[in-house]
Amino acid sequence: MQIIDTDFLVIGSGVAGLRAAIELAQHGRVAIVTKDIPTESSTEYAQGGVAVALSDEDEVGIHFEDTIKAGDGLCKEDAVRVLVEEGPARILELIEWGAEFDKEGTRLSFTIEAAHSRRRILHAHGDSTGKELERVLINKVRTFKNIQRLQFCMAIDLIVEDGRCLGAYALKDGDIIAVHAKTTLLATGGVGQVFSRTTNPAVATGDGMAIAYRAGAILEDMEFVQFHPTVLFAPAAPQFLLSEAMRGEGAILRNIFKEPFMKNYHPDAELAPRDVVSRAIISEMVRTNSSNVYLDLTHREAEFLKKRFPRIYSTCLQYDLNITKDLIPVSPAAHYMMGGVKTDLNGATSIVGLYAAGEVACTGVHGANRLASNSLLEGLVYGYRAGVAAAQQGGQGSKVNCQERKTPDISVPDFVLEEVRTSLRRLMWEKVGIIRCGVSLNEAMEKLSEWKHIFETDFNTRRGLELKNMLTVGFLITRAALERKGSVGAHYRTDFKERGENWQRHIKVVKLAKGMTVL
Ligand code: FAD
Ligand code: SIN
């Protein structure tokens, strides 16, 4: 087995992993392993922007209030305070490194999205904010000679000895390798691929959460999955996001009879919190017996739209939809995971030597529903903090002595893996999606247990390993959703429409040696 020896291992090359690596590189050798090409990540596709209290009309205290309100009573206040207070410094630093956010004249241009009470969202190239962040961070990483980057290298499991994480096993060119490190940081992003409708790229299969769970780490808030209201719904078109910033710029939601309907559901109409808008769309689709609603920006000037949303304009045109003239068919899709590997304010998990940052982590900053455009900021702020803390701990030194791990010789036919993958994604969408109930969740649990043998198989392909992780994460989401007998934020149950007893608790899941999950 090939062994790579480093000081700090970072798993994932989105905003959180890259930001952490830049910090770690000032204290030792860093290896970044990433499953695909370095840019393939949710970060790369982020459209709307990054929320930060930097405009003249804004204050960190107001950003704090809006975040807490969107989180529907379950945000951890200290985590939110860190986010909003340290956010401006992380953004200004990014600008110093070359980030080009859009401007009006010489001043930064801020847009607004749902549940923000101020225009505070910076954007780049109109609707390609994430791409700009990824470009700047990768360029910065390239300036460090002590950062080694391994692409098409998929982390499989953590190396844990005597309760301490000492690196990870990974699949590279069909073989298992071991990366020994003093500290390891998970920055593997979200879980969108677990659902059949999602905005997330193919790499978002919940690997980091499943890996941490298998290693015995505590996960929290797994029932809270955010569904984005407006995702393209057209024959042969991909599940392409139509940014909330479009509603920020005045887009109206209309049902299939072309009637606006959001005012019937919430006083803030199109700018109501994301979970409210997603459920309103589902209600309207059911009421009008249709499979989509429309997003309408045709009342805005064509030149403005082409300049403000160039990526969305050109992508829609490829499917014969012109946002300046046509109503765009949309319906909701899984978008963001609020829960994840539980960390403290410095990214430390419940396993010594293991850190997590970004979407894979749960600092409690988003509560039950993330405020739009807060996650890129979270990646920067908490990626930085986790990098600082992991470097400090790594400096204390540790001896690495991991066991040989053989590449398993498993031959499950590809079509079996694909059948289970498709069925799982459909099951999660239909039974554990935007609107849930005890019956649907129990049906999902029953079906998931039929696939138990796949949870327990050691695969030797990316596709097989991903499926195992998707099943694990699907199980954890369903289990937590069953446990929360109430509706809060993005978790909505028709059999418990009120918040329920003890609604302010956070549900934790952990795997014990006997294989049990405790809540
Ligand atoms: P990611 O950027 O997803 O990076 C994860 C990395 O881990 C990838 O490099 C991946 O290849 C790698 N990886 C995964 N598994 C493994 C493994 N087993 N081994 C090795 N590597 C692995 N948020 C905002 O704040 N503003 C927005 O405008 C916005 N728009 C969005 C638009 C879209 C279409 C999507 C999908 C999300 C959007 N979000 C937005 C959410 C935001 O982009 C993400 O939450 C954020 O980028 C996550 O960053 P991350 O670094 O945690 O993970
Ligand atoms: C969007 O542009 O609508 C996505 C913003 C986000 O998820 O934060």
Side-chain angles (χ1 to χ4, degrees), residues 45-51 113 116 121 127 129 199 226 228-230 241-247 274 312 335-336 370-376:
Y45 298 101
Q47 293 181 357
V50 49
E113 287 180 329
H116 287 272
I121 295 145
D127 50 9
T129 314
T199 61
Q226 183 172 74
H228 198 292
T230 56
L241 180 75
L242 293 171
S243 175
E244 194 153 288
M246 296 174 85
R247 276 174 284 134
R274 213 169 254 186
I312 294 173
H335 183 60
Y336 183 84
R370 176 180 63 102
L371 183 67
S373 288
N374 261 356
S375 47
L376 291 177

PDB file of all heavy atoms in Angstrom, residues 45-51 113 116 121 127 129 199 226 228-230 241-247 274 312 335-336 370-376, ligand 2:
ATOM      1  N   TYR A  45     -20.208  26.254  -8.510  1.00  0.00           N
ATOM      2  CA  TYR A  45     -21.491  26.554  -9.159  1.00  0.00           C
ATOM      3  C   TYR A  45     -22.300  27.614  -8.417  1.00  0.00           C
ATOM      4  O   TYR A  45     -23.413  27.938  -8.838  1.00  0.00           O
ATOM      5  CB  TYR A  45     -22.316  25.267  -9.301  1.00  0.00           C
ATOM      6  CG  TYR A  45     -21.606  24.247 -10.169  1.00  0.00           C
ATOM      7  CD1 TYR A  45     -20.919  23.185  -9.612  1.00  0.00           C
ATOM      8  CD2 TYR A  45     -21.599  24.401 -11.554  1.00  0.00           C
ATOM      9  CE1 TYR A  45     -20.237  22.276 -10.404  1.00  0.00           C
ATOM     10  CE2 TYR A  45     -20.914  23.496 -12.358  1.00  0.00           C
ATOM     11  CZ  TYR A  45     -20.238  22.433 -11.769  1.00  0.00           C
ATOM     12  OH  TYR A  45     -19.562  21.552 -12.568  1.00  0.00           O
ATOM     13  N   ALA A  46     -21.792  28.099  -7.301  1.00  0.00           N
ATOM     14  CA  ALA A  46     -22.559  29.063  -6.502  1.00  0.00           C
ATOM     15  C   ALA A  46     -22.835  30.314  -7.339  1.00  0.00           C
ATOM     16  O   ALA A  46     -21.937  30.863  -7.972  1.00  0.00           O
ATOM     17  CB  ALA A  46     -21.813  29.417  -5.224  1.00  0.00           C
ATOM     18  N   GLN A  47     -24.086  30.741  -7.314  1.00  0.00           N
ATOM     19  CA  GLN A  47     -24.488  31.827  -8.215  1.00  0.00           C
ATOM     20  C   GLN A  47     -24.700  33.151  -7.479  1.00  0.00           C
ATOM     21  O   GLN A  47     -24.008  34.133  -7.716  1.00  0.00           O
ATOM     22  CB  GLN A  47     -25.820  31.450  -8.897  1.00  0.00           C
ATOM     23  CG  GLN A  47     -25.729  30.289  -9.837  1.00  0.00           C
ATOM     24  CD  GLN A  47     -27.084  29.991 -10.497  1.00  0.00           C
ATOM     25  OE1 GLN A  47     -28.092  30.611 -10.203  1.00  0.00           O
ATOM     26  NE2 GLN A  47     -27.079  29.046 -11.412  1.00  0.00           N
ATOM     27  N   GLY A  48     -25.693  33.153  -6.586  1.00  0.00           N
ATOM     28  CA  GLY A  48     -26.244  34.386  -6.016  1.00  0.00           C
ATOM     29  C   GLY A  48     -25.204  35.298  -5.419  1.00  0.00           C
ATOM     30  O   GLY A  48     -25.143  36.488  -5.711  1.00  0.00           O
ATOM     31  N   GLY A  49     -24.355  34.746  -4.543  1.00  0.00           N
ATOM     32  CA  GLY A  49     -23.315  35.577  -3.976  1.00  0.00           C
ATOM     33  C   GLY A  49     -22.910  35.199  -2.576  1.00  0.00           C
ATOM     34  O   GLY A  49     -23.213  34.105  -2.100  1.00  0.00           O
ATOM     35  N   VAL A  50     -22.229  36.133  -1.936  1.00  0.00           N
ATOM     36  CA  VAL A  50     -21.744  35.906  -0.585  1.00  0.00           C
ATOM     37  C   VAL A  50     -22.228  37.060   0.293  1.00  0.00           C
ATOM     38  O   VAL A  50     -22.028  38.233  -0.024  1.00  0.00           O
ATOM     39  CB  VAL A  50     -20.201  35.679  -0.563  1.00  0.00           C
ATOM     40  CG1 VAL A  50     -19.444  36.722  -1.330  1.00  0.00           C
ATOM     41  CG2 VAL A  50     -19.671  35.559   0.856  1.00  0.00           C
ATOM     42  N   ALA A  51     -22.918  36.678   1.374  1.00  0.00           N
ATOM     43  CA  ALA A  51     -23.516  37.680   2.262  1.00  0.00           C
ATOM     44  C   ALA A  51     -22.448  38.198   3.218  1.00  0.00           C
ATOM     45  O   ALA A  51     -21.726  37.416   3.834  1.00  0.00           O
ATOM     46  CB  ALA A  51     -24.653  37.049   3.059  1.00  0.00           C
ATOM     47  N   GLU A 113     -31.454  39.021  -1.212  1.00  0.00           N
ATOM     48  CA  GLU A 113     -32.106  37.727  -1.422  1.00  0.00           C
ATOM     49  C   GLU A 113     -33.105  37.525  -0.286  1.00  0.00           C
ATOM     50  O   GLU A 113     -33.165  38.327   0.652  1.00  0.00           O
ATOM     51  CB  GLU A 113     -31.071  36.594  -1.435  1.00  0.00           C
ATOM     52  CG  GLU A 113     -30.233  36.582  -2.706  1.00  0.00           C
ATOM     53  CD  GLU A 113     -29.198  35.482  -2.752  1.00  0.00           C
ATOM     54  OE1 GLU A 113     -28.677  35.087  -1.687  1.00  0.00           O
ATOM     55  OE2 GLU A 113     -28.878  35.026  -3.838  1.00  0.00           O
ATOM     56  N   HIS A 116     -33.274  38.520   3.818  1.00  0.00           N
ATOM     57  CA  HIS A 116     -32.274  39.546   4.176  1.00  0.00           C
ATOM     58  C   HIS A 116     -33.016  40.883   4.283  1.00  0.00           C
ATOM     59  O   HIS A 116     -33.807  41.215   3.403  1.00  0.00           O
ATOM     60  CB  HIS A 116     -31.199  39.677   3.086  1.00  0.00           C
ATOM     61  CG  HIS A 116     -30.235  38.526   3.052  1.00  0.00           C
ATOM     62  ND1 HIS A 116     -29.096  38.501   3.809  1.00  0.00           N
ATOM     63  CD2 HIS A 116     -30.262  37.375   2.361  1.00  0.00           C
ATOM     64  CE1 HIS A 116     -28.433  37.367   3.573  1.00  0.00           C
ATOM     65  NE2 HIS A 116     -29.127  36.662   2.693  1.00  0.00           N
ATOM     66  N   ILE A 121     -25.461  41.268  -0.399  1.00  0.00           N
ATOM     67  CA  ILE A 121     -24.862  40.109  -1.060  1.00  0.00           C
ATOM     68  C   ILE A 121     -23.953  40.549  -2.201  1.00  0.00           C
ATOM     69  O   ILE A 121     -24.407  41.128  -3.203  1.00  0.00           O
ATOM     70  CB  ILE A 121     -25.972  39.146  -1.529  1.00  0.00           C
ATOM     71  CG1 ILE A 121     -26.659  38.604  -0.269  1.00  0.00           C
ATOM     72  CG2 ILE A 121     -25.407  37.989  -2.339  1.00  0.00           C
ATOM     73  CD1 ILE A 121     -28.091  38.387  -0.406  1.00  0.00           C
ATOM     74  N   ASP A 127     -23.589  36.291 -12.026  1.00  0.00           N
ATOM     75  CA  ASP A 127     -24.104  35.112 -11.319  1.00  0.00           C
ATOM     76  C   ASP A 127     -23.075  33.988 -11.253  1.00  0.00           C
ATOM     77  O   ASP A 127     -23.437  32.814 -11.272  1.00  0.00           O
ATOM     78  CB  ASP A 127     -25.398  34.625 -11.986  1.00  0.00           C
ATOM     79  CG  ASP A 127     -25.252  34.471 -13.498  1.00  0.00           C
ATOM     80  OD1 ASP A 127     -24.109  34.573 -13.991  1.00  0.00           O
ATOM     81  OD2 ASP A 127     -26.269  34.242 -14.169  1.00  0.00           O
ATOM     82  N   THR A 129     -20.461  33.821  -8.758  1.00  0.00           N
ATOM     83  CA  THR A 129     -19.688  34.199  -7.570  1.00  0.00           C
ATOM     84  C   THR A 129     -18.769  33.071  -7.094  1.00  0.00           C
ATOM     85  O   THR A 129     -17.606  33.296  -6.773  1.00  0.00           O
ATOM     86  CB  THR A 129     -20.664  34.585  -6.430  1.00  0.00           C
ATOM     87  OG1 THR A 129     -21.659  35.451  -6.971  1.00  0.00           O
ATOM     88  CG2 THR A 129     -19.945  35.265  -5.297  1.00  0.00           C
ATOM     89  N   THR A 199     -29.782  20.608  -6.886  1.00  0.00           N
ATOM     90  CA  THR A 199     -28.928  21.589  -7.567  1.00  0.00           C
ATOM     91  C   THR A 199     -27.457  21.177  -7.486  1.00  0.00           C
ATOM     92  O   THR A 199     -26.618  21.775  -8.141  1.00  0.00           O
ATOM     93  CB  THR A 199     -29.016  22.942  -6.839  1.00  0.00           C
ATOM     94  OG1 THR A 199     -28.536  22.766  -5.491  1.00  0.00           O
ATOM     95  CG2 THR A 199     -30.422  23.477  -6.804  1.00  0.00           C
ATOM     96  N   GLN A 226     -32.132  21.800   3.196  1.00  0.00           N
ATOM     97  CA  GLN A 226     -32.782  22.950   2.560  1.00  0.00           C
ATOM     98  C   GLN A 226     -33.095  22.638   1.093  1.00  0.00           C
ATOM     99  O   GLN A 226     -32.226  22.150   0.371  1.00  0.00           O
ATOM    100  CB  GLN A 226     -31.852  24.160   2.630  1.00  0.00           C
ATOM    101  CG  GLN A 226     -32.470  25.419   2.059  1.00  0.00           C
ATOM    102  CD  GLN A 226     -31.601  26.639   2.333  1.00  0.00           C
ATOM    103  OE1 GLN A 226     -30.557  26.805   1.712  1.00  0.00           O
ATOM    104  NE2 GLN A 226     -32.027  27.480   3.247  1.00  0.00           N
ATOM    105  N   HIS A 228     -34.173  24.276  -2.482  1.00  0.00           N
ATOM    106  CA  HIS A 228     -34.206  25.574  -3.176  1.00  0.00           C
ATOM    107  C   HIS A 228     -35.481  25.651  -4.008  1.00  0.00           C
ATOM    108  O   HIS A 228     -35.814  24.707  -4.717  1.00  0.00           O
ATOM    109  CB  HIS A 228     -32.971  25.730  -4.062  1.00  0.00           C
ATOM    110  CG  HIS A 228     -32.708  27.155  -4.458  1.00  0.00           C
ATOM    111  ND1 HIS A 228     -33.548  27.841  -5.303  1.00  0.00           N
ATOM    112  CD2 HIS A 228     -31.721  28.020  -4.113  1.00  0.00           C
ATOM    113  CE1 HIS A 228     -33.073  29.080  -5.460  1.00  0.00           C
ATOM    114  NE2 HIS A 228     -31.974  29.204  -4.746  1.00  0.00           N
ATOM    115  N   PRO A 229     -36.195  26.793  -3.925  1.00  0.00           N
ATOM    116  CA  PRO A 229     -37.496  26.855  -4.603  1.00  0.00           C
ATOM    117  C   PRO A 229     -37.432  26.836  -6.131  1.00  0.00           C
ATOM    118  O   PRO A 229     -38.325  26.293  -6.771  1.00  0.00           O
ATOM    119  CB  PRO A 229     -38.075  28.205  -4.141  1.00  0.00           C
ATOM    120  CG  PRO A 229     -37.230  28.647  -2.990  1.00  0.00           C
ATOM    121  CD  PRO A 229     -35.907  27.995  -3.125  1.00  0.00           C
ATOM    122  N   THR A 230     -36.390  27.434  -6.714  1.00  0.00           N
ATOM    123  CA  THR A 230     -36.462  27.674  -8.158  1.00  0.00           C
ATOM    124  C   THR A 230     -35.335  26.994  -8.932  1.00  0.00           C
ATOM    125  O   THR A 230     -34.257  27.544  -9.106  1.00  0.00           O
ATOM    126  CB  THR A 230     -36.460  29.198  -8.444  1.00  0.00           C
ATOM    127  OG1 THR A 230     -35.301  29.777  -7.837  1.00  0.00           O
ATOM    128  CG2 THR A 230     -37.706  29.870  -7.906  1.00  0.00           C
ATOM    129  N   LEU A 241     -29.871  25.642 -11.334  1.00  0.00           N
ATOM    130  CA  LEU A 241     -30.403  26.607 -10.375  1.00  0.00           C
ATOM    131  C   LEU A 241     -30.740  27.939 -11.037  1.00  0.00           C
ATOM    132  O   LEU A 241     -29.977  28.444 -11.855  1.00  0.00           O
ATOM    133  CB  LEU A 241     -29.351  26.852  -9.282  1.00  0.00           C
ATOM    134  CG  LEU A 241     -29.758  27.839  -8.191  1.00  0.00           C
ATOM    135  CD1 LEU A 241     -30.753  27.201  -7.245  1.00  0.00           C
ATOM    136  CD2 LEU A 241     -28.547  28.316  -7.414  1.00  0.00           C
ATOM    137  N   LEU A 242     -31.891  28.493 -10.665  1.00  0.00           N
ATOM    138  CA  LEU A 242     -32.214  29.873 -11.063  1.00  0.00           C
ATOM    139  C   LEU A 242     -32.147  30.693  -9.782  1.00  0.00           C
ATOM    140  O   LEU A 242     -33.042  30.654  -8.945  1.00  0.00           O
ATOM    141  CB  LEU A 242     -33.588  29.937 -11.719  1.00  0.00           C
ATOM    142  CG  LEU A 242     -33.624  29.194 -13.071  1.00  0.00           C
ATOM    143  CD1 LEU A 242     -35.021  29.079 -13.605  1.00  0.00           C
ATOM    144  CD2 LEU A 242     -32.733  29.870 -14.091  1.00  0.00           C
ATOM    145  N   SER A 243     -31.063  31.407  -9.655  1.00  0.00           N
ATOM    146  CA  SER A 243     -30.678  32.049  -8.406  1.00  0.00           C
ATOM    147  C   SER A 243     -31.803  32.840  -7.738  1.00  0.00           C
ATOM    148  O   SER A 243     -32.599  33.514  -8.397  1.00  0.00           O
ATOM    149  CB  SER A 243     -29.509  32.987  -8.674  1.00  0.00           C
ATOM    150  OG  SER A 243     -29.195  33.688  -7.504  1.00  0.00           O
ATOM    151  N   GLU A 244     -31.768  32.775  -6.401  1.00  0.00           N
ATOM    152  CA  GLU A 244     -32.693  33.572  -5.602  1.00  0.00           C
ATOM    153  C   GLU A 244     -32.492  35.069  -5.866  1.00  0.00           C
ATOM    154  O   GLU A 244     -33.394  35.875  -5.664  1.00  0.00           O
ATOM    155  CB  GLU A 244     -32.403  33.266  -4.135  1.00  0.00           C
ATOM    156  CG  GLU A 244     -33.458  33.728  -3.207  1.00  0.00           C
ATOM    157  CD  GLU A 244     -33.456  32.867  -1.957  1.00  0.00           C
ATOM    158  OE1 GLU A 244     -33.880  31.704  -2.036  1.00  0.00           O
ATOM    159  OE2 GLU A 244     -33.017  33.369  -0.928  1.00  0.00           O
ATOM    160  N   ALA A 245     -31.285  35.405  -6.323  1.00  0.00           N
ATOM    161  CA  ALA A 245     -31.013  36.815  -6.643  1.00  0.00           C
ATOM    162  C   ALA A 245     -31.963  37.302  -7.738  1.00  0.00           C
ATOM    163  O   ALA A 245     -32.227  38.507  -7.851  1.00  0.00           O
ATOM    164  CB  ALA A 245     -29.569  36.973  -7.080  1.00  0.00           C
ATOM    165  N   MET A 246     -32.517  36.383  -8.530  1.00  0.00           N
ATOM    166  CA  MET A 246     -33.489  36.809  -9.557  1.00  0.00           C
ATOM    167  C   MET A 246     -34.749  37.351  -8.871  1.00  0.00           C
ATOM    168  O   MET A 246     -35.324  38.351  -9.303  1.00  0.00           O
ATOM    169  CB  MET A 246     -33.844  35.644 -10.490  1.00  0.00           C
ATOM    170  CG  MET A 246     -32.640  35.161 -11.285  1.00  0.00           C
ATOM    171  SD  MET A 246     -32.978  33.698 -12.261  1.00  0.00           S
ATOM    172  CE  MET A 246     -33.662  34.406 -13.748  1.00  0.00           C
ATOM    173  N   ARG A 247     -35.157  36.658  -7.789  1.00  0.00           N
ATOM    174  CA  ARG A 247     -36.292  37.194  -7.025  1.00  0.00           C
ATOM    175  C   ARG A 247     -35.885  38.474  -6.312  1.00  0.00           C
ATOM    176  O   ARG A 247     -36.667  39.399  -6.152  1.00  0.00           O
ATOM    177  CB  ARG A 247     -36.830  36.133  -6.047  1.00  0.00           C
ATOM    178  CG  ARG A 247     -37.818  35.183  -6.733  1.00  0.00           C
ATOM    179  CD  ARG A 247     -38.241  34.058  -5.838  1.00  0.00           C
ATOM    180  NE  ARG A 247     -37.196  33.062  -5.715  1.00  0.00           N
ATOM    181  CZ  ARG A 247     -36.789  32.504  -4.591  1.00  0.00           C
ATOM    182  NH1 ARG A 247     -37.333  32.861  -3.443  1.00  0.00           N
ATOM    183  NH2 ARG A 247     -35.835  31.601  -4.594  1.00  0.00           N
ATOM    184  N   ARG A 274     -36.700  30.657   2.401  1.00  0.00           N
ATOM    185  CA  ARG A 274     -36.644  29.641   1.349  1.00  0.00           C
ATOM    186  C   ARG A 274     -37.562  28.451   1.594  1.00  0.00           C
ATOM    187  O   ARG A 274     -38.188  27.932   0.669  1.00  0.00           O
ATOM    188  CB  ARG A 274     -35.196  29.161   1.300  1.00  0.00           C
ATOM    189  CG  ARG A 274     -34.745  28.778  -0.039  1.00  0.00           C
ATOM    190  CD  ARG A 274     -33.252  28.579  -0.014  1.00  0.00           C
ATOM    191  NE  ARG A 274     -32.579  29.688  -0.663  1.00  0.00           N
ATOM    192  CZ  ARG A 274     -31.275  29.720  -0.884  1.00  0.00           C
ATOM    193  NH1 ARG A 274     -30.513  28.711  -0.484  1.00  0.00           N
ATOM    194  NH2 ARG A 274     -30.722  30.725  -1.498  1.00  0.00           N
ATOM    195  N   ILE A 312     -26.996  32.427 -16.273  1.00  0.00           N
ATOM    196  CA  ILE A 312     -28.367  31.902 -16.297  1.00  0.00           C
ATOM    197  C   ILE A 312     -28.998  32.178 -17.656  1.00  0.00           C
ATOM    198  O   ILE A 312     -29.639  31.300 -18.253  1.00  0.00           O
ATOM    199  CB  ILE A 312     -29.202  32.533 -15.156  1.00  0.00           C
ATOM    200  CG1 ILE A 312     -28.655  32.084 -13.803  1.00  0.00           C
ATOM    201  CG2 ILE A 312     -30.687  32.187 -15.290  1.00  0.00           C
ATOM    202  CD1 ILE A 312     -29.275  32.764 -12.587  1.00  0.00           C
ATOM    203  N   HIS A 335     -30.939  21.264  -1.944  1.00  0.00           N
ATOM    204  CA  HIS A 335     -29.911  22.269  -2.232  1.00  0.00           C
ATOM    205  C   HIS A 335     -28.784  22.308  -1.202  1.00  0.00           C
ATOM    206  O   HIS A 335     -27.612  22.402  -1.563  1.00  0.00           O
ATOM    207  CB  HIS A 335     -30.601  23.629  -2.295  1.00  0.00           C
ATOM    208  CG  HIS A 335     -29.701  24.773  -2.653  1.00  0.00           C
ATOM    209  ND1 HIS A 335     -29.008  24.815  -3.845  1.00  0.00           N
ATOM    210  CD2 HIS A 335     -29.382  25.922  -1.984  1.00  0.00           C
ATOM    211  CE1 HIS A 335     -28.306  25.939  -3.903  1.00  0.00           C
ATOM    212  NE2 HIS A 335     -28.497  26.619  -2.777  1.00  0.00           N
ATOM    213  N   TYR A 336     -29.117  22.232   0.082  1.00  0.00           N
ATOM    214  CA  TYR A 336     -28.084  22.489   1.090  1.00  0.00           C
ATOM    215  C   TYR A 336     -28.378  21.695   2.366  1.00  0.00           C
ATOM    216  O   TYR A 336     -29.535  21.562   2.774  1.00  0.00           O
ATOM    217  CB  TYR A 336     -28.056  23.993   1.430  1.00  0.00           C
ATOM    218  CG  TYR A 336     -26.974  24.340   2.403  1.00  0.00           C
ATOM    219  CD1 TYR A 336     -25.676  24.580   1.968  1.00  0.00           C
ATOM    220  CD2 TYR A 336     -27.225  24.377   3.778  1.00  0.00           C
ATOM    221  CE1 TYR A 336     -24.667  24.859   2.871  1.00  0.00           C
ATOM    222  CE2 TYR A 336     -26.215  24.652   4.685  1.00  0.00           C
ATOM    223  CZ  TYR A 336     -24.937  24.894   4.218  1.00  0.00           C
ATOM    224  OH  TYR A 336     -23.941  25.154   5.105  1.00  0.00           O
ATOM    225  N   ARG A 370     -30.912  27.727   6.485  1.00  0.00           N
ATOM    226  CA  ARG A 370     -29.818  28.664   6.223  1.00  0.00           C
ATOM    227  C   ARG A 370     -30.312  29.930   5.528  1.00  0.00           C
ATOM    228  O   ARG A 370     -31.100  29.877   4.587  1.00  0.00           O
ATOM    229  CB  ARG A 370     -28.779  27.983   5.336  1.00  0.00           C
ATOM    230  CG  ARG A 370     -27.637  28.869   4.898  1.00  0.00           C
ATOM    231  CD  ARG A 370     -26.679  28.087   4.029  1.00  0.00           C
ATOM    232  NE  ARG A 370     -27.322  27.641   2.822  1.00  0.00           N
ATOM    233  CZ  ARG A 370     -27.187  28.211   1.626  1.00  0.00           C
ATOM    234  NH1 ARG A 370     -26.389  29.256   1.464  1.00  0.00           N
ATOM    235  NH2 ARG A 370     -27.806  27.730   0.578  1.00  0.00           N
ATOM    236  N   LEU A 371     -29.801  31.053   5.983  1.00  0.00           N
ATOM    237  CA  LEU A 371     -30.055  32.313   5.286  1.00  0.00           C
ATOM    238  C   LEU A 371     -29.255  32.289   3.976  1.00  0.00           C
ATOM    239  O   LEU A 371     -28.069  31.946   3.972  1.00  0.00           O
ATOM    240  CB  LEU A 371     -29.589  33.479   6.166  1.00  0.00           C
ATOM    241  CG  LEU A 371     -29.832  34.893   5.640  1.00  0.00           C
ATOM    242  CD1 LEU A 371     -31.317  35.225   5.581  1.00  0.00           C
ATOM    243  CD2 LEU A 371     -29.119  35.920   6.516  1.00  0.00           C
ATOM    244  N   ALA A 372     -29.915  32.662   2.877  1.00  0.00           N
ATOM    245  CA  ALA A 372     -29.280  32.613   1.558  1.00  0.00           C
ATOM    246  C   ALA A 372     -27.917  33.307   1.569  1.00  0.00           C
ATOM    247  O   ALA A 372     -27.749  34.353   2.204  1.00  0.00           O
ATOM    248  CB  ALA A 372     -30.182  33.287   0.536  1.00  0.00           C
ATOM    249  N   SER A 373     -26.973  32.710   0.863  1.00  0.00           N
ATOM    250  CA  SER A 373     -25.633  33.264   0.642  1.00  0.00           C
ATOM    251  C   SER A 373     -24.763  33.327   1.894  1.00  0.00           C
ATOM    252  O   SER A 373     -23.708  33.961   1.891  1.00  0.00           O
ATOM    253  CB  SER A 373     -25.705  34.644  -0.042  1.00  0.00           C
ATOM    254  OG  SER A 373     -26.102  34.444  -1.377  1.00  0.00           O
ATOM    255  N   ASN A 374     -25.174  32.649   2.952  1.00  0.00           N
ATOM    256  CA  ASN A 374     -24.342  32.570   4.151  1.00  0.00           C
ATOM    257  C   ASN A 374     -23.337  31.425   4.081  1.00  0.00           C
ATOM    258  O   ASN A 374     -22.436  31.356   4.912  1.00  0.00           O
ATOM    259  CB  ASN A 374     -25.214  32.374   5.402  1.00  0.00           C
ATOM    260  CG  ASN A 374     -25.448  33.685   6.153  1.00  0.00           C
ATOM    261  OD1 ASN A 374     -24.902  34.716   5.786  1.00  0.00           O
ATOM    262  ND2 ASN A 374     -26.253  33.640   7.193  1.00  0.00           N
ATOM    263  N   SER A 375     -23.468  30.511   3.107  1.00  0.00           N
ATOM    264  CA  SER A 375     -22.572  29.346   3.192  1.00  0.00           C
ATOM    265  C   SER A 375     -21.200  29.587   2.583  1.00  0.00           C
ATOM    266  O   SER A 375     -20.215  29.015   3.054  1.00  0.00           O
ATOM    267  CB  SER A 375     -23.217  28.090   2.609  1.00  0.00           C
ATOM    268  OG  SER A 375     -23.775  28.379   1.391  1.00  0.00           O
ATOM    269  N   LEU A 376     -21.113  30.417   1.555  1.00  0.00           N
ATOM    270  CA  LEU A 376     -19.763  30.734   1.058  1.00  0.00           C
ATOM    271  C   LEU A 376     -18.999  31.461   2.165  1.00  0.00           C
ATOM    272  O   LEU A 376     -17.816  31.209   2.403  1.00  0.00           O
ATOM    273  CB  LEU A 376     -19.841  31.592  -0.203  1.00  0.00           C
ATOM    274  CG  LEU A 376     -20.390  30.892  -1.462  1.00  0.00           C
ATOM    275  CD1 LEU A 376     -20.492  31.876  -2.616  1.00  0.00           C
ATOM    276  CD2 LEU A 376     -19.509  29.715  -1.870  1.00  0.00           C
TER     277      LEU A 376
HETATM  278  C1  SIN B   2     -28.891  31.217  -5.089  1.00  0.00           C
HETATM  279  O1  SIN B   2     -28.190  31.887  -5.845  1.00  0.00           O
HETATM  280  O2  SIN B   2     -30.120  31.222  -5.102  1.00  0.00           O
HETATM  281  C2  SIN B   2     -28.223  30.328  -4.108  1.00  0.00           C
HETATM  282  C3  SIN B   2     -27.861  31.102  -2.934  1.00  0.00           C
HETATM  283  C4  SIN B   2     -27.569  30.207  -1.784  1.00  0.00           C
HETATM  284  O3  SIN B   2     -27.847  29.010  -1.820  1.00  0.00           O
HETATM  285  O4  SIN B   2     -27.069  30.716  -0.781  1.00  0.00           O
END
